[in-house]
Amino acid sequence: MWLLAVMLVAVSGHATSSWAAQTPTEVVERTMKDMLYILTELKDASRSAQRQWEIEQVVRRAFNYEEMAERSLGETGIKSNAAERRQFVRLFVQVLRDDLADHLRDYSAAQVVYLAEGNDADGAQVMIAPAGQEVDTRIEFQVVRRSGAWLVNDISIDGASIMAKYQAQFTRILREGSFSDLMEYLKQKAVIA
């Protein structure tokens, strides 16, 4: 029994260190493989709840989603309380999950080519080129180092940042309405997907 416990600790320590030792490209590659596998294997409409749950787990593991949610709110996020921010982050993850699924559903892992990795003071960029049946596109993943691991911080599809899109949408809603209006918008968007 004692030997089994030691072996489990050694294996889990190795898995953690290998995850932390991954390069930005390896993190993006694993994330894409996981997403595309889920989208392929669970594409039947009857499995949509399981598909959403599985993709959400990938987002929570591979994305810097809490900081992304905070950035998407901009200055207006400061006015919300802790409970509202937690609820916002939960809804943000669901919207991000559904946007990613919508953008990636036409691709397969075999079609993804990893073009380049670049580093700068803020993190790294990984450029990929997935080619679907009807679309050829470029996707750039912005990744940052947090707590020893690389996490996706933004995605630009053909030059259009998903974070810039969220910031523009959320700022418009907050300018014309309230934080409650934004929360209602996110709830409806998550239900529709």
Side-chain angles (χ1 to χ4, degrees):
M1 186 69 149
W2 178 81
L3 181 60
L4 179 61
V6 170
M7 289 175 56
L8 286 174
V9 168
V11 169
S12 67
H14 176 71
T16 303
S17 65
S18 69
W19 173 252
Q22 288 187 320
T23 67
T25 299
E26 290 169 337
V27 169
V28 169
E29 184 174 8
R30 177 177 175 198
T31 302
M32 285 295 292
K33 282 183 179 177
D34 289 350
M35 293 284 294
L36 295 173
Y37 176 81
I38 293 164
L39 289 168
T40 301
E41 293 301 312
L42 303 175
K43 66 182 169 186
D44 189 68
S46 67
R47 300 183 81 182
S48 65
Q50 182 182 0
R51 179 177 59 245
Q52 286 181 323
W53 187 88
E54 295 283 346
I55 292 172
E56 188 168 323
Q57 301 318 300
V58 173
V59 169
R60 289 183 180 279
R61 182 195 76 240
F63 283 73
N64 189 22
Y65 65 90
E66 288 178 341
E67 283 184 37
M68 291 172 72
E70 189 82 21
R71 283 191 352 251
S72 72
L73 281 176
E75 295 297 316
T76 55
I78 297 168
K79 298 174 187 171
S80 59
N81 65 43
E84 289 173 328
R85 283 193 299 275
R86 279 192 304 276
Q87 175 72 355
F88 175 79
V89 169
R90 187 182 66 74
L91 291 169
F92 178 86
V93 167
Q94 292 173 355
V95 169
L96 178 60
R97 167 201 72 198
D98 296 338
D99 279 351
L100 292 170
D102 286 344
H103 285 297
L104 298 176
R105 76 175 72 250
D106 294 330
Y107 306 122
S108 73
Q111 296 169 311
V112 177
V113 177
Y114 294 83
L115 301 174
E117 177 182 311
N119 296 300
D120 60 28
D122 297 327
Q125 305 78 38
V126 178
M127 180 73 71
I128 67 170
Q133 293 178 335
E134 300 179 18
V135 177
D136 286 325
T137 193
R138 297 283 186 268
I139 301 176
E140 181 177 323
F141 288 80
Q142 299 289 327
V143 293
V144 293
R145 192 96 149 137
R146 295 290 185 266
S147 301
W150 290 103
L151 297 172
V152 177
N153 205 39
D154 194 4
I155 298 174
S156 295
I157 301 172
D158 291 329
S161 160
I162 198 166
M163 286 304 300
K165 177 184 93 167
Y166 290 149
Q167 288 168 340
Q169 285 175 346
F170 300 168
T171 299
R172 180 184 47 77
I173 292 167
L174 290 167
R175 189 178 27 226
E176 297 170 0
S178 66
F179 193 78
S180 294
D181 294 330
L182 175 59
M183 296 294 277
E184 190 57 37
Y185 167 79
L186 294 175
K187 287 175 188 174
Q188 289 175 5
K189 191 167 176 161
V191 169
I192 292 171

